[in-house]
Amino acid sequence: MTAAETTQDGSGLRVHDLSWSARGTVIVDDVELTAPAGRITGLIGPNGSGKTTLLRAVARLARPDRGAVHLDGSDVARLRRRELARRLAVVEQHAGTDLDMTALDVVLLGRTPYRTALQADSGADRALALDALARVDMAGFAARKWSTLSGGERQRVQLARALTQQPGLLVLDEPTNHLDVSHALSLLTLVREAGLTSIAALHDLNLAAMFCDHVVVLRRGRAVAAGSPHDVLTPELLRDVYEVDADVGTHPRTGRPLLTFHPPAASQPPAPAPSSQEDS
């Protein structure tokens, strides 16, 4: 799906001709993409391809040099900050460790857009926050200090905070960073079950193939391919963009693409010599 193939009602996320540069170096170059409503869009590409920068521009954490971002038909740049925070939540790759707050306090930050400056957390706010902690398998950590949590635990608390925010769009930058396999699968399953419009930068291409409905490939700041995982994740694209040799099969349980990567020929161990048997 390209930006020209979006739904007629303007729902979902649309990025139009977005560019961003730093110190004269173009990081994101005229990117055009669509994240369909209620689906997970995976943003993939090699290191340095501009994934994080693009997500920051989508979330209005960085001001692009040109271009526009529309969420459900609204220009993100024109939304008031409180309105934007009610409609969009971000889970960043790295979170500070110096907060003197409990995990529950961090999750309750997701209710800030719905309160006045002097308004205390309500019982309903706490119920939402505790439910979100339970959904990310962190119910027993509500009273733990943020600074004592591991990187993976912080990542799950950040997702709980984003869910408590009740947004229409979820922006995730490497959400499985620091997570073991079990929690990575659980987290992305939770994102999928939330039914939100989501856009996630992912390094693990098999996770992208397994969980994303739509993928956009970045290379050197430009979007070079977009579509379903079946259409995009081909051996030819992987060779061209990632410079790797890969086989693409079908997962026996999910029917999704399953990628197997091969080391460069020079790095492959020599084949074992055939064994010889002496006559006895």
Side-chain angles (χ1 to χ4, degrees):
M1 179 183 293
T2 66
E5 298 169 331
T6 54
T7 56
Q8 294 298 315
D9 61 2
S11 59
L13 172 72
R14 304 182 188 184
V15 175
H16 303 280
D17 300 322
L18 192 140
S19 295
W20 189 88
S21 59
R23 300 181 182 88
T25 300
V26 177
I27 308 298
V28 175
D29 189 6
D30 287 332
V31 168
E32 184 100 2
L33 68 82
T34 294
R39 304 289 185 177
I40 301 178
T41 293
L43 194 60
I44 63 175
N47 290 340
S49 58
K51 299 186 297 295
T52 293
T53 300
L54 178 58
L55 290 184
R56 288 180 59 81
V58 165
R60 215 171 76 183
L61 298 174
R63 178 178 294 180
D65 299 332
R66 62 178 181 274
V69 177
H70 288 89
L71 175 59
D72 295 333
S74 299
D75 187 342
V76 166
R78 296 179 179 274
L79 294 175
R80 293 182 180 274
R81 188 166 295 278
R82 181 180 292 269
E83 176 65 17
L84 179 64
R86 290 181 177 182
R87 299 177 62 175
L88 181 154
V90 181
V91 177
E92 296 192 80
Q93 185 176 165
H94 303 290
T97 60
D98 56 349
L99 299 176
D100 187 23
M101 304 172 73
T102 65
L104 179 59
D105 291 334
V106 171
V107 177
L108 281 167
L109 292 175
R111 302 307 298 163
T112 302
Y114 302 92
R115 300 194 305 260
T116 62
L118 300 178
Q119 188 175 0
D121 301 320
S122 67
D125 290 335
R126 291 180 64 85
L128 281 171
L130 290 170
D131 176 67
L133 280 171
R135 291 168 68 188
V136 299
D137 196 25
M138 291 290 288
F141 291 73
R144 280 274 300 272
K145 287 290 188 181
W146 171 261
S147 59
T148 69
L149 300 179
S150 69
E153 289 164 350
R154 290 191 205 107
Q155 199 78 342
R156 285 184 279 154
V157 169
Q158 286 283 28
L159 178 61
R161 186 263 310 151
L163 294 174
T164 302
Q165 204 167 322
Q166 297 183 309
L169 173 66
L170 195 56
V171 177
L172 307 110
D173 186 13
E174 288 298 328
T176 58
N177 194 25
H178 304 301
L179 297 183
D180 57 40
V181 173
S182 175
H183 283 112
L185 294 173
S186 296
L187 184 143
L188 289 175
T189 298
L190 180 58
V191 171
R192 183 169 61 191
E193 292 176 347
L196 302 172
T197 305
S198 303
I199 182 167
L202 295 167
H203 272 302
D204 190 320
L205 298 183
N206 275 308
L207 286 180
M210 185 181 299
F211 287 97
C212 296
D213 307 288
H214 184 69
V215 291
V216 177
V217 184
L218 293 186
R219 180 177 58 183
R220 293 192 287 274
R222 298 187 67 88
V224 296
S228 72
H230 280 289
D231 292 337
V232 171
L233 297 175
T234 65
E236 294 76 19
L237 179 132
L238 296 170
R239 187 179 304 113
D240 183 42
V241 173
Y242 287 91
E243 299 180 351
V244 295
D245 184 22
D247 293 327
V248 181
T250 301
H251 195 288
R253 294 190 182 183
T254 66
R256 295 282 189 129
L258 179 62
L259 284 60
T260 305
F261 299 98
H262 305 284
S267 301
Q268 294 181 358
S275 59
S276 60
Q277 296 181 349
E278 295 181 358
D279 294 335
S280 56

